Amino acid sequence: MATQNDLAKYAGVSAGTVSNVVSGSTRVSEKTRRKVEEAIQALNYQPNLIARSLKTQRTHTLGLVVPDITIPFFPRLIRAVEAACRERGYFLVVLDSQENHELELDMLALLRQRVDGILLATSGDGDWTEAVSSQILSGPPIVCVDRVPGKLNVDSVCVDDRRAAEMSVSHLLSMGHREIAIVTGPLTLKNEQERLRGYQHALQMAGIRPKNSLVWNAGFQENEVEAICQRNLLRSQRPSALLATNGVTGLGALKSIYAIGLSVPNDIAFVTFDEIAPDTVFKPQITSVIQPTHEIGFRAVELLLQRILKKEQDLPRSRIRLDATLVVRESSRRYGISD
Amino acid sequence: MATQNDLAKYAGVSAGTVSNVVSGSTRVSEKTRRKVEEAIQALNYQPNLIARSLKTQRTHTLGLVVPDITIPFFPRLIRAVEAACRERGYFLVVLDSQENHELELDMLALLRQRVDGILLATSGDGDWTEAVSSQILSGPPIVCVDRVPGKLNVDSVCVDDRRAAEMSVSHLLSMGHREIAIVTGPLTLKNEQERLRGYQHALQMAGIRPKNSLVWNAGFQENEVEAICQRNLLRSQRPSALLATNGVTGLGALKSIYAIGLSVPNDIAFVTFDEIAPDTVFKPQITSVIQPTHEIGFRAVELLLQRILKKEQDLPRSRIRLDATLVVRESSRRYGISD
DNA sequence: CTGAAAGCGCTAACAG
DNA sequence: CTGTTAGCGCTTTCAG
């Protein structure tokens, strides 16, 4: 691999001048620029990024930590973020914390020296103690995407969780349901709190008093979700509709519905946040709250780069909220109405 | 961030000695080692990886390029590879080439300076001309996983494609099918060639002459797959069973079966390589060839690290083949037999 | 506009 | 066993 020094010798100029050409400085005459560019061609020069990083203290790389790469939502988010990075000339490294807070903190630590900024969709499993938070916040800037820890004071980009939940509940109400249960993920996440709030608010607006017995708070462990759903579904008065606030509880709830031998939507109507399977082939097709993945990714990268590049002016915290879309499919169709 | 120099001053020793302690050299007395370790604690020292890389020409990082992160198989593979890397103390960066050969080559180029070795599951879309190949092979060592380009002479780890296909066909034969079609991905991939060969071989063993009209060669573009399948399924003599050689053609085929209004397995039996949806909830449940993802990932990392670490002895090319498992579910059940 | 020189933080000889 | 030294390849003053 040729170095700038080699170029300098080949072109008969100094190393500093070569550097100026390579980094596109204007302080170089046309003539020498041309000479250096020839040398670049001739020696097939590629700048050494590691050396550059050592000098500039910038890696020109962003990190994205997702909580579970096997959930279909996250690959889509990854693609969006990757596209945004590519557009801005940044390299992206993706890590999967496997819904494990310890691992997540490890990964954040690993990223610290390797990236200029971090996009974080946190695991639901997190404590985010004061100590941990300040430790993390002392590293490269962070923007939370999709999943926002309740306690951490950071920039974030996600959907308007409350409205999305309200929309889902309104839909179920309009289908004639009055007994609507909700199965949430961990309430340590701001999103889950908001989605729950939206659910409660929509019910109240419709003159229905939310019942605690219809709020099923689960974590993100499959077994846990299924156990909680099964237990509740087997009780004497089963709700006529169920809203899951994310893909994990959605899939878990659906599994438990089937395990018990109920069918959707005839025995129980079902709506979930996020897609949990390819939507055209498999039955039942699930009514879902779809997030604008692409926009989330782009806005998050944009925000993060602002933080990175304009560190001078301490921007106020941004909480960007985007609109989600409810896609109505079979699983919430009115009783007894079929294809 | 404290540097080794800071440590040296704090501990009253030289920088070189600090380095010896940090990199675990034995050539250090107990006493000075202790002094330095105290300094490390006191100053909360973290070695600077970039500086280390610049010096050692190693990043202690591996790269994994997958062709489509939205296909459920790849997130699982990523997890396995990530686990293997973690176990060996390596950092992993994952890139998604989106089934686009140009992008794939770009990414390979980006990785060149950032990793010590590359795991590649190639896009089906690739040409791998002589020029491109030698260009790539001049970079860090590569091991292909799951998908192997026909032309590229590299180490690889994948399932025994031929046997897996034979197994699938045998299963369909045992269910009474004689007219079995196959829908393949691009035959530029060694795997697809092998799977096709396995299909043909299994038929011949059963005394059935493979027909060209039952070999549907598609690419990895959804539209393409669906178009080809639809066209063929609408012909006068429809096969009674269909084998898809990967998750992409599998999902495409299934979509076209449904689009035409056929049902599985009553109108046509169906088997595919790889899982294309969560298996317990959605109907129909699909009979699938399951790959040992975990083992693939571990073997691939192991092989790659051998290449990286033992460059002296020019190891011969390894082609590791592992056994796949056929999981029989509804979609290939015998006609007229239901739950 | 160009050259010389320092130094980012680390490792790896090599003396002592 | 420890200190000194010379870079890895690049950017960035600072003189000229």
Side-chain angles (χ1 to χ4, degrees), chain A residues 276-337:
Chain A
I276 59 185
D279 63 345
T280 51
V281 174
F282 295 98
K283 309 284 177 179
Q285 289 168 11
I286 303 294
T287 296
S288 303
V289 175
I290 305 300
Q291 307 195 35
T293 344
H294 197 77
E295 197 180 353
I296 293 177
F298 273 74
R299 298 291 291 273
V301 168
E302 188 186 354
L303 185 52
L304 183 55
L305 287 179
Q306 272 180 27
R307 283 270 174 238
I308 293 171
L309 302 173
K310 302 174 190 163
K311 215 159 190 169
E312 338 101 27
Q313 46 183 25
D314 247 288
L315 306 165
R317 292 272 166 253
S318 297
R319 309 222 114 97
I320 298 179
R321 307 204 155 290
L322 305 171
D323 282 336
T325 312
L326 182 70
V327 176
V328 177
R329 302 203 187 95
E330 293 174 359
S331 71
S332 63
R333 203 168 290 138
R334 203 183 299 272
Y335 304 72
I337 300 189

Side-chain angles (χ1 to χ4, degrees), chain B residues 199-215:
Chain B
Y199 157 85
Q200 291 164 332
H201 187 246
L203 289 182
Q204 279 161 348
M205 289 294 97
I208 298 174
R209 169 123 168 245
K211 298 184 200 165
N212 281 335
S213 64
L214 292 182
V215 175

Side-chain angles (χ1 to χ4, degrees), chain B residues 4 45 52 55:
Chain B
Q4 290 192 354
Y45 168 78
R52 185 177 281 173
K55 183 67 191 177

